[in-house]
Amino acid sequence: MSDDLYKVSGGKLQLKGPSSDKKSKKQKKKREKEKEYEAALERTLREEGKKDKKTPAQRAFERAQEKRKQEQALKIASKTHKERVQEFNAQLDSMSEHYDIPKVSWTK
């Protein structure tokens, strides 16, 4: 009787579901698709670097846009914070206040 109490089967526990050693087919397919996508993305990036399919007008537009951005950055950088705050306050003073309730009279 004491033998029945201490009988233990050897080995490790068996868990339900797919084992961690084996990878499921879905995971393999997903990884393969990701690798294919990354490879295609790299190919397109290399091709885009070689071929510039922009028209002269598009290139001129981009140059002008970049020039405007640089001028705007210089304009902003030339003012101090205090000057910007003063301009902002002057602009707010000139605006009508949006939270004021206009006077409405039905008799006149």
Side-chain angles (χ1 to χ4, degrees), residues 31-66:
R31 286 193 186 120
E32 288 174 3
K33 287 182 182 178
E34 288 176 357
K35 288 180 183 178
E36 290 175 9
Y37 175 74
E38 289 176 3
L41 184 63
E42 288 178 15
R43 274 185 265 136
T44 56
L45 289 176
R46 274 190 258 126
E47 290 174 1
E48 286 178 3
K50 292 179 183 176
K51 298 177 184 176
D52 189 18
K53 297 182 179 181
K54 296 179 183 172
T55 63
Q58 288 174 326
R59 286 189 211 109
F61 172 75
E62 287 179 353
R63 281 193 300 265
Q65 196 173 27
E66 186 65 30

Side-chain angles (χ1 to χ4, degrees), residues 74-91:
L74 289 174
K75 181 180 174 184
I76 291 172
S78 66
K79 295 181 185 176
T80 64
H81 177 71
K82 186 176 181 179
E83 291 171 345
R84 277 184 259 142
V85 169
Q86 287 174 347
E87 283 183 14
F88 182 67
N89 286 335
Q91 181 183 1

